[in-house]
């Protein structure tokens, strides 16, 4: 079949926000009347949305695959939604009315789905399909990818000219060892397996780590009735104004039964330990020479423009950075990647790419605080936007919002989600949610949209 072999093929691994951004980018080109390659996306879960597709399961799924999800009940956006808004699909377009700045997970999941449902993007995705292994054939210059169709337990291989890895990097736990932990009588788990704060009611909880997961799981446990929450940091404390019931201490050194010993010589008894110690970039389907080997940081090495694998730019990674920007960054990346795959972008030489990467790495090394991090990622987003026709948005303004958000959290970690921001896409000011976050125990979409709908109904009467 000559026609078929002439058309380039793109394989996408993962249908989370990054993989879906790639599908949407091709769809936008198709709408503009351009001829697009044949695109197939492979997703090991039964539905799209990646992390936002909540699973009650932990460990392995019904087909024995490691569970991808790390999200939990009562998870509310940890940053203002105005900082992640798709610039080609606004919150107004989706919800038809202003909503608050910090929606719960099901509401953001609904928003992610909204833009792709419109375009029948589901047809491009093979669900319940795991990418098992990738081989790059130097002669044919194609990727040969082995998949498992989990539903019918069948293995098969397909070839692609380009491979987009959008498999996420907040799924495989980084689990440190502490002396004596094997004798700890209570529960010891990683944040990846945390599914909600309810089991920790009236308990004394020890959390290891000082980043997003430690902060949010700590606050959730406090909100849902833990007796006390202790956060133990390695490098530096989160350092916000903690309410009574939450405190930060230096790193745990070891356990003696249920007693934890800390670096400053203090000791305390705990009922449970939650390791909020981050995740590994893990690509079990990639051979050694193609695996992205990096810590969680704002500019992983070896990726030109943060996406193209420098040794083989036809291998593309989306969303591998540590993230201030999320959905809009994945979009900006996916649009650039699409243009390269459609021969609409000139790829500089390997040496020139290396120089560009090094420049970013040097800048990254100079960053000192969270505000610098925001500025750095904003500069990266601007660079991406200059390379494609993804609808421009006011990145500087989003940077200002991120800094406001950081200040809000410093001031009061329990109330920052009650604040509101203005959209840079539509100019709409967010609504104040009908219930203060600390009093809102229900994270369902129905409850979230309830009052606004009933008010509207009353107005109509
Ligand atoms: P993912 O969402 O992780 O999706 C990757 C997809 O690839 C998954 O569907 C997975 O099943 C699939 N996959 C993996 N391996 C394979 C394989 N071998 N074969 C086939 N499919 C595969 N971001 C925010 O903006 N706001 C928040 O409030 C927020 N909270 C978060 C809370 C937690 C607990 C975590 C872990 C992350 C949070 N994030 C948040 C960041 C979140 O990771 C991003 O918003 C987003 O989900 C990243 O999208 P992604 O597509 O790159 O990766
Ligand atoms: P992060 O942001 O990668 O943070 C990992 C944290 O774990 C960080 O504070 C680390 O401390 C700490 N860590 C790592 N290893 C250890 C050991 N061995 N001992 C003690 N502490 C350790 O991961 P998160 O899960 O918080 O966030 C990931 C995403 O989930 C994020 O995008 C959110 O939106 C939700 P360090 O500062 O390196 O000393």
């Amino acid at each position: 079949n000559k026609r078929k072999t002439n058309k380039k093929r793109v394989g996408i691994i993962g249908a989370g926000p990054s993989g879906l951004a790639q599908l949407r980018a091709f769809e936008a080109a198709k709408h503009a009347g351009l001829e697009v390659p044949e695109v197939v996306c492979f997703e090991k879960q039964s539905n799209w949305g990646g992390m936002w597709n909540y699973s009650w399961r932990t460990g392995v799924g019904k087909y024995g695959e490691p569970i991808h999800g790390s999200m939990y009940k009562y998870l509310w956006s940890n940053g203002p939604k105005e900082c992640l808004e798709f610039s080609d699909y606004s919150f107004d377009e989706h919800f038809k009315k202003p909503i608050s700045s910090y929606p719960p997970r099901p509401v953001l999941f609904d928003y992610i789905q909204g833009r792709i449902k419109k375009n029948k993007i589901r047809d491009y995705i093979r669900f319940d399909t795991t990418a098992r292994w990738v081989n790059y054939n130097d002669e044919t210059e194609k990727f040969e990818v082995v998949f498992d169709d989990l539903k019918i337990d069948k293995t098969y291989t397909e070839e692609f000219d380009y491979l987009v890895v959008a498999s996420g990097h907040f799924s495989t736990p980084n689990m440190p060892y502490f002396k004596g932990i094997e004798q700890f009588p209570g529960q010891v788990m990683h944040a990846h397996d945390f599914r909600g704060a309810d089991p920790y009611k009236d308990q004394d909880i020890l959390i290891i780590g000082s980043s997003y997961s430690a902060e949010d799981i700590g606050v959730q446990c406090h909100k849902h009735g833990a007796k006390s929450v202790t956060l133990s940091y390695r490098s530096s404390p989160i350092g916000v104004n903690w309410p009574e019931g939450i405190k930060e201490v230096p790193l745990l050194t070891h356990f003696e039964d249920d007693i934890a010993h800390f670096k400053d010589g203090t000791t305390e008894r705990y009922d449970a330990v939650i390791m909020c110690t981050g995740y590994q970039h893990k690509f079990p389907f990639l051979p050694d020479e193609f695996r992205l080997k990096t810590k969680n940081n704002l500019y992983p090495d070896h990726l030109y423009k943060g996406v193209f694998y420098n040794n083989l730019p036809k291998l593309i990674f989306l969303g591998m950075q540590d993230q201030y920007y999320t959905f809009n960054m994945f979009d900006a990346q996916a649009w650039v990647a699409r243009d390269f795959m459609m021969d609409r972008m000139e790829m500089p030489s390997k040496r020139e790419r290396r120089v560009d990467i090094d420049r970013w790495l040097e800048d990254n090394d100079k960053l000192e605080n969270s505000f610098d991090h925001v500025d750095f990622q904003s500069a990266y987003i601007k660079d991406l936007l200059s390379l494609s026709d993804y609808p421009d948005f006011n990145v500087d303004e989003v940077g200002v919002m991120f800094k406001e958000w950081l200040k809000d959290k410093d001031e009061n970690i329990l109330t920052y989600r009650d604040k509101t921001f203005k959209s840079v896409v539509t100019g709409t000011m967010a609504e104040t949610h009908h219930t203060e976050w600390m009093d809102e125990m229900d994270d369902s979409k129905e409850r979230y949209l309830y009052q606004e709908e009933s008010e509207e109904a009353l107005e109509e009467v």
Side-chain angles (χ1 to χ4, degrees):
N1 182 331
K2 205 159 179 236
R3 206 180 61 83
K4 213 172 174 185
T5 48
N6 278 345
K7 198 160 185 176
K8 293 231 179 99
R9 287 195 95 211
V10 174
I12 303 172
I13 299 177
S18 294
L20 294 173
Q22 194 63 74
L23 287 169
R24 168 78 173 186
F26 280 115
E27 200 61 14
K30 201 166 142 191
H31 270 275
L34 300 170
E35 203 194 323
V36 298
E38 185 189 342
V39 183
V40 193
C41 177
F42 302 87
E43 170 53 59
K44 74 176 190 180
Q45 303 188 58
S46 307
N47 200 4
W48 54 28
M51 274 299 152
W52 298 91
N53 174 28
Y54 172 78
S55 172
W56 59 270
R57 292 177 191 266
T58 55
V60 292
K62 69 172 172 178
Y63 301 114
E65 295 294 302
I67 284 291
H68 185 80
S70 306
M71 284 202 179
Y72 37 88
K73 273 192 283 179
Y74 316 133
L75 183 142
W76 294 65
S77 178
N78 61 9
K81 75 177 195 309
E82 288 74 16
C83 292
L84 56 74
E85 188 165 16
F86 299 126
S87 75
D88 69 341
Y89 187 73
S90 66
F91 281 99
D92 285 0
E93 182 176 349
H94 184 74
F95 290 101
K96 314 281 184 230
K97 58 183 153 200
I99 59 168
S100 75
S101 280
Y102 292 88
R105 184 204 54 78
V107 173
L108 283 174
F109 179 68
D110 195 62
Y111 172 60
I112 298 167
Q113 289 202 96
R115 136 172 123 153
I116 43 182
K117 261 186 182 166
K118 254 186 18 183
N119 288 297
K120 293 200 172 162
I121 278 181
R122 215 170 174 94
D123 297 348
Y124 297 100
I125 308 172
R126 291 189 207 159
F127 291 101
D128 298 303
T129 303
T130 291
R132 210 44 103 200
W133 191 247
V134 173
N135 180 48
Y136 183 71
N137 186 325
D138 287 317
E139 271 167 37
T140 60
E141 298 189 343
K142 286 181 196 289
F143 295 94
E144 299 160 350
V145 188
V146 180
F147 297 101
D148 270 344
D149 184 329
L150 302 171
K151 260 186 170 160
I152 57 169
D153 198 12
K154 181 121 190 88
T155 303
Y156 63 96
T157 303
E158 293 207 3
E159 289 188 345
F160 301 97
D161 300 280
Y162 300 95
L163 190 64
V164 179
V165 177
S167 52
H169 62 97
F170 294 129
S171 183
T172 305
N174 168 47
M175 191 74 156
Y177 171 75
F178 293 94
K179 197 164 162 252
I181 200 166
E182 57 273 54
Q183 307 299 341
F184 184 81
Q187 187 189 37
V188 177
M189 57 142 56
H190 188 274
H192 171 64
D193 296 320
F194 180 84
R195 287 294 176 268
D198 313 70
Y200 307 104
K201 194 166 182 302
D202 300 324
Q203 293 198 1
D204 295 306
I205 307 301
L206 174 60
I207 290 180
I208 315 289
S210 58
S211 187
Y212 297 105
S213 297
E215 173 192 298
D216 197 55
I217 290 177
V219 167
Q220 300 280 359
C221 287
H222 174 78
K223 176 177 171 181
H224 291 270
K227 201 198 295 173
S228 77
V229 175
T230 305
L231 306 169
S232 167
Y233 61 87
R234 177 171 65 179
S235 310
S236 48
I238 298 172
V240 303
N241 216 345
W242 294 109
E244 209 185 315
I246 310 183
K247 67 168 186 243
E248 276 189 288
V249 300
L251 191 59
L252 169 76
T253 54
H254 62 283
F255 286 102
E256 273 176 310
D257 296 320
D258 57 357
I259 308 291
H261 291 249
F262 300 100
K263 257 183 149 174
D264 59 0
T266 58
T267 60
E268 204 162 326
R269 191 206 64 85
Y270 292 101
D271 294 303
V273 181
I274 308 174
M275 301 277 190
C276 295
T277 41
Y279 294 88
Q280 306 177 40
H281 281 68
K282 187 83 183 163
F283 306 98
F285 49 87
L286 286 176
D288 177 45
E289 72 265 31
F290 295 146
R291 261 177 242 150
L292 180 65
K293 295 173 185 178
T294 179
K295 286 201 286 196
N296 186 24
N297 71 49
L298 290 172
Y299 213 92
D301 195 2
H302 309 297
L303 295 182
Y304 176 62
K305 297 298 169 198
V307 283
F308 303 105
Y309 196 60
N310 201 27
N311 283 338
L312 183 67
K314 294 197 297 182
L315 178 63
I316 290 163
F317 288 88
L318 297 182
M320 290 302 154
Q321 297 65 15
D322 195 9
Q323 297 155 8
Y324 284 88
Y325 291 80
T326 53
F327 303 166
N328 42 8
M329 176 170 78
F330 310 147
D331 274 13
Q333 293 181 328
W335 256 250
V336 174
R338 175 204 69 188
D339 284 355
F340 169 62
M341 291 187 269
M342 289 177 61
D343 297 323
R344 282 153 50 95
M345 172 195 156
E346 215 174 294
M347 186 57 75
S349 71
K350 188 173 174 184
R351 235 171 59 94
E352 287 167 313
R353 299 196 298 261
R354 188 65 246 176
V355 170
D356 190 77
I357 296 170
D358 285 340
R359 191 174 60 78
W360 285 100
L361 293 180
E362 275 164 33
D363 286 353
N364 192 8
D365 272 351
K366 290 183 207 139
L367 308 179
E368 285 179 356
N369 55 44
S370 309
F371 279 24
D372 294 347
H373 292 165
V374 168
D375 289 340
F376 178 83
Q377 198 154 65
S378 297
Y380 169 57
I381 303 289
K382 281 194 201 172
D383 189 37
L384 287 174
L385 291 178
S386 74
L387 297 172
S388 84
D389 65 356
Y390 183 65
D392 229 340
F393 61 94
N394 191 337
V395 178
D396 290 330
E397 198 52 44
V398 175
V400 170
M401 289 196 271
F402 272 124
K403 290 175 187 175
E404 280 298 309
W405 160 73
L406 288 166
K407 280 194 260 170
D408 291 344
K409 288 205 296 179
D410 258 359
E411 258 166 44
N412 193 330
I413 195 75
L414 303 182
T415 60
Y416 79 92
R417 287 186 170 102
D418 298 325
K419 304 269 175 163
T420 50
F421 292 84
K422 192 171 163 185
S423 164
V424 294
V425 179
T426 55
T428 301
M429 189 66 204
E431 278 285 311
T432 302
H433 186 48
H434 51 65
T435 308
E436 283 181 5
W437 185 75
M438 271 303 279
D439 297 328
E440 182 60 282
M441 298 301 178
D442 183 341
D443 64 349
S444 68
K445 187 180 125 194
E446 293 69 27
R447 159 83 188 160
Y448 181 78
L449 296 172
Y450 172 74
Q451 197 161 322
E452 295 175 37
E453 271 170 9
S454 61
E455 266 172 14
E456 220 170 67
L458 279 175
E459 271 167 29
E460 275 167 24
V461 171

